[in-house]
Amino acid sequence: MIKAMKNELAGKRALVVGGSGGIGRSLAEALMAEGVTVTAVGRHPVPGAESCVVDLDNSAECAIVLSKASCVDILAVVRGPFLQKPLGGTSLEEWESLSWANLGFPGALVSAALPAMEKARWGRILLFGGTRTDAVRGFKTNAAYAAAKTGLSSLAKSVAIGYASSGITCNVLCPGFVETEYLDSALKRELAAKNPDGKLISVREVADSALFLLKTPAINGVSLPIDKGWSPVII
């Protein structure tokens, strides 16, 4: 008789930053279905989860989230503000805000989470990059955003080589064009047409990929694109 695989996520505590909508909410719900106690950070409450309703553009409220990261087994950072703007027109303020939100704050959350994970000899960290930021590439219209998101790959590899011996993994998911409530119907049609199969990726497909990485300790320090193989000549 084949024995069912043990669900090692059950009973763990997770912090999902950006967990009140879109991909983050789907991940929060998927984790709860696995028996994980979830704190969802975002602008809205999430049924079934402990909700931390904050404005992450406010530094004081970021400090609240950092304190919560210091006592969890699973950290998922899904939030990442986007900017579509030519490089020459990107202001200092935009560079600062994008770098902080997409790399600095995720890095600070990782630093906050590691001590407790190391003490417990178990931890899972999952960061979310942007489309095609799984490797170093050039971008014509969203360079500042992509530069910050690409840095997450180095962060994940640094965690992997430094903390794998403590049972901790850190990986990056880089979703492509995903159907969320944040897209209007016209933009959904436009983005779906870019995918090889003409369809948007569902939030559940991304959440399932996230669960796979969280459940697989042998995968560590990788940046995984979830984009149906989309590969533009020029972005």
Side-chain angles (χ1 to χ4, degrees):
M1 179 182 293
I2 299 175
K3 294 182 179 180
M5 291 181 63
K6 179 184 178 182
N7 177 11
E8 67 172 1
L9 301 185
K12 302 296 187 183
R13 299 159 300 168
L15 182 69
V16 182
V17 181
S20 66
I23 293 170
R25 178 160 180 159
S26 183
L27 176 56
E29 293 170 345
L31 285 168
M32 287 189 285
E34 296 285 334
V36 177
T37 300
V38 173
T39 298
V41 177
R43 294 184 181 274
H44 311 287
V46 176
E50 175 191 336
S51 296
C52 178
V53 179
V54 294
D55 177 6
L56 291 176
D57 293 325
N58 183 306
S59 58
E61 296 189 26
C62 284
I64 295 171
V65 182
L66 285 168
S67 68
K68 291 184 178 294
S70 66
C71 55
V72 296
D73 307 296
I74 300 167
L75 171 65
V77 187
V78 187
R79 178 184 185 262
F82 179 74
L83 178 68
Q84 190 90 27
K85 200 169 188 180
L87 187 57
T90 306
S91 69
L92 172 61
E93 292 76 15
E94 288 166 335
W95 270 107
E96 289 175 338
S97 63
L98 285 167
S99 298
W100 167 248
N102 289 296
L103 181 58
F105 187 49
L109 287 165
V110 169
S111 294
L114 282 171
M117 291 180 178
E118 188 174 26
K119 184 177 180 180
R121 308 295 293 175
W122 195 95
R124 296 289 180 268
I125 299 171
L126 186 60
L127 308 173
F128 278 74
T131 304
R132 302 292 288 166
T133 62
D134 56 300
V136 176
R137 294 184 172 92
F139 294 78
K140 288 190 71 175
T141 63
N142 59 337
Y145 167 84
K149 285 293 193 183
T150 301
L152 295 175
S153 294
S154 178
L155 175 59
K157 290 182 182 298
S158 298
V159 174
I161 64 172
Y163 293 88
S165 61
S166 296
I168 299 169
T169 69
C170 182
N171 295 295
V172 183
L173 270 181
C174 298
F177 302 126
V178 180
E179 184 171 8
T180 73
E181 67 270 28
Y182 305 119
L183 306 179
D184 61 32
S185 57
L187 187 53
K188 286 181 181 180
R189 289 193 298 270
E190 178 185 341
L191 295 179
K194 294 176 182 290
N195 279 336
D197 64 355
K199 299 177 182 178
L200 290 172
I201 303 160
S202 72
V203 290
R204 183 64 212 207
E205 287 176 303
V206 181
D208 286 344
S209 299
L211 286 179
F212 172 73
L213 291 179
L214 293 171
K215 292 180 177 181
T216 311
I219 301 178
N220 202 0
V222 306
S223 294
L224 180 66
I226 307 294
D227 59 11
K228 298 190 175 186
W230 181 69
S231 183
V233 176
I234 298 176
I235 300 176

